[in-house]
Amino acid sequence: TIGIIACEFATLPLIHRHPTMTTQATLQTRPLLSFDSWPPSETDLPRVAAGVYAIYKGSRLYYVGMAGKNLTPELIESAEPNKSKGLRQRLEAHRSGRRSGDQFCVYVADHEIIPNLTPAQQRAIGRRELHVDHLVRDFIRAELKFRLAQTPDGKSALALERELIAGGLGEVPEL
């Protein structure tokens, strides 16, 4: 079953079981949200939510992730209203570009930033005049966009993430 949460920008599907054509369509066709335009509205990205997200580099599926692994419907309902958990917290971490504690940012550094450093940039990093985390942050904000689908709990998000990584969106993510 799929419930729909109405919002002013689009509808956010609340996925209750396995990925369906509706889930796939949402993660492939919903308007892309930008890491550069932050924060998105709470209707586009709720403060507390479990779910999956697809990150795109241009039109290519770049990365699929999930958030809210330990969230249950009860925890979501009783969460503090001004504290981010789950999807918003995870995407904020990605947007920061900080590699410490964020595997996605490590992947971006390893696959996009480090291989393309000029000798001058390498020297500046060695002198601590340039920071790799800042380059990662700038790349994410300039080059990547995302779509998301909310799930009722973290367990559903984890199962859905596995299916999407295996090609559930019609392609395997680059990272």
Side-chain angles (χ1 to χ4, degrees), residues 49-69:
V52 294
Y53 55 93
I55 298 177
Y56 290 85
K57 181 180 175 188
S59 62
R60 290 190 336 244
L61 181 61
Y62 191 68
Y63 183 83
V64 170
M66 63 83 60
K69 184 170 96 172

Side-chain angles (χ1 to χ4, degrees), residues 59-81:
S59 62
R60 290 190 336 244
L61 181 61
Y62 191 68
Y63 183 83
V64 170
M66 63 83 60
K69 184 170 96 172
N70 297 318
L71 288 177
T72 63
E74 297 78 24
L75 287 173
I76 292 168
E77 184 67 32
S78 65
E80 296 177 40

Side-chain angles (χ1 to χ4, degrees), residues 128-146:
R128 299 177 191 220
E129 298 168 356
L130 182 62
H131 301 278
V132 174
D133 286 355
H134 294 172
L135 297 172
V136 171
R137 176 197 64 204
D138 295 347
F139 177 86
I140 290 169
R141 292 179 185 184
E143 301 296 329
L144 304 179
K145 298 191 183 304
F146 64 94

Side-chain angles (χ1 to χ4, degrees), residues 33-103:
L33 299 173
S34 173
F35 283 103
D36 194 38
S37 302
W38 203 267
S41 72
E42 285 192 42
T43 52
D44 288 334
L45 183 56
R47 283 211 179 273
V48 180
V52 294
Y53 55 93
I55 298 177
Y56 290 85
K57 181 180 175 188
S59 62
R60 290 190 336 244
L61 181 61
Y62 191 68
Y63 183 83
V64 170
M66 63 83 60
K69 184 170 96 172
N70 297 318
L71 288 177
T72 63
E74 297 78 24
L75 287 173
I76 292 168
E77 184 67 32
S78 65
E80 296 177 40
N82 295 325
K83 187 171 182 183
S84 296
K85 285 186 181 179
L87 284 168
R88 182 176 284 262
Q89 185 178 34
R90 174 67 48 83
L91 291 165
E92 284 174 344
H94 292 348
R95 182 181 184 274
S96 78
R98 288 187 300 272
R99 292 169 291 152
S100 177
D102 192 314
Q103 192 63 47

Side-chain angles (χ1 to χ4, degrees), residues 134-170:
H134 294 172
L135 297 172
V136 171
R137 176 197 64 204
D138 295 347
F139 177 86
I140 290 169
R141 292 179 185 184
E143 301 296 329
L144 304 179
K145 298 191 183 304
F146 64 94
R147 294 184 177 112
L148 59 106
Q150 199 174 341
T151 60
D153 56 41
K155 185 177 178 182
S156 302
L158 184 59
L160 182 54
E161 177 198 39
R162 288 182 181 142
E163 292 185 39
L164 298 175
I165 288 172
L169 290 173

